[in-house]
Amino acid sequence: MWYEPFTDRLPREGGLTPLGEIAAALEQAYGGEELSPGQIPGYRHMHLCNALHTPENEERLHLPEDQLHIRAVQLPQAAGYRSREAGRETDPVYLAYEEQTGYVYSNSNALFLEVQIARGYTRRDREERTERYQVWRKALARREEEVT
């Protein structure tokens, strides 16, 4: 799987894997294409709003909307991902993210889980069994269930 090189570096000492690095790996692995803001489904009403209201932004960063930078990469159907949206299973699959706030969205459950796995956890997360570490473990278990 494309995310295995990221798991080889766990736990991460300097924080989570940057989302831009994950997007670049997806582009390289599958020939993904970066979308312009106008091409991102739900850009303003969903992604920008959700990134604005992440706990990271509301509690720590306090970034206004004009300082958020939603980016997205769309994957070709040959990548094997399917949209989870009812009646839209054949729609192109994409990953939307905002690096500063850590906001992540995908219209594919499998891709979303894989991104969570690739983001990883820190030594502190593992030692203190933080929520981030628990979410990572659940994502790994759910993804393995889907593959088998």
Side-chain angles (χ1 to χ4, degrees):
M1 305 290 310
W2 68 268
Y3 58 84
E4 288 172 344
F6 294 102
T7 61
D8 292 343
R9 300 185 290 182
L10 293 176
R12 295 206 29 110
E13 297 302 326
L16 301 182
T17 303
L19 291 165
E21 189 177 327
I22 291 170
L26 285 167
E27 288 177 27
Q28 182 177 3
Y30 299 116
E33 169 187 336
E34 187 164 348
L35 300 176
S36 69
Q39 295 174 303
I40 302 171
Y43 175 80
R44 175 161 294 289
H45 293 84
M46 182 170 62
H47 303 304
L48 199 54
C49 182
N50 288 346
L52 188 64
H53 296 290
T54 60
E56 179 69 9
N57 195 44
E58 289 190 332
E59 296 169 11
R60 193 176 76 74
L61 298 173
H62 311 289
L63 296 171
E65 187 175 302
D66 64 347
Q67 289 184 15
L68 298 178
H69 307 287
I70 304 295
R71 299 186 65 194
V73 60
Q74 181 174 300
L75 302 180
Q77 285 188 340
Y81 295 101
R82 298 192 68 75
S83 174
R84 65 183 158 93
E85 297 173 6
R88 303 181 82 94
E89 292 85 4
T90 59
D91 279 6
V93 168
Y94 71 98
L95 171 73
Y97 64 96
E98 204 290 325
E99 192 82 60
Q100 301 166 99
T101 64
Y103 169 73
V104 177
Y105 172 87
S106 177
N107 63 338
S108 165
N109 285 339
L111 180 57
F112 181 81
L113 291 172
E114 290 175 3
V115 169
Q116 294 305 311
I117 294 164
R119 289 199 77 203
Y121 57 85
T122 66
R123 185 175 312 283
R124 181 187 151 277
D125 289 328
R126 186 181 63 200
E127 290 170 356
E128 296 178 14
R129 302 186 67 77
T130 64
E131 181 178 357
R132 179 179 9 228
Y133 180 67
Q134 298 304 324
V135 167
W136 182 87
R137 289 184 48 183
K138 288 177 186 176
L140 185 61
R142 286 187 62 202
R143 186 62 187 126
E144 288 178 359
E145 285 175 11
E146 288 183 15
V147 171
T148 57

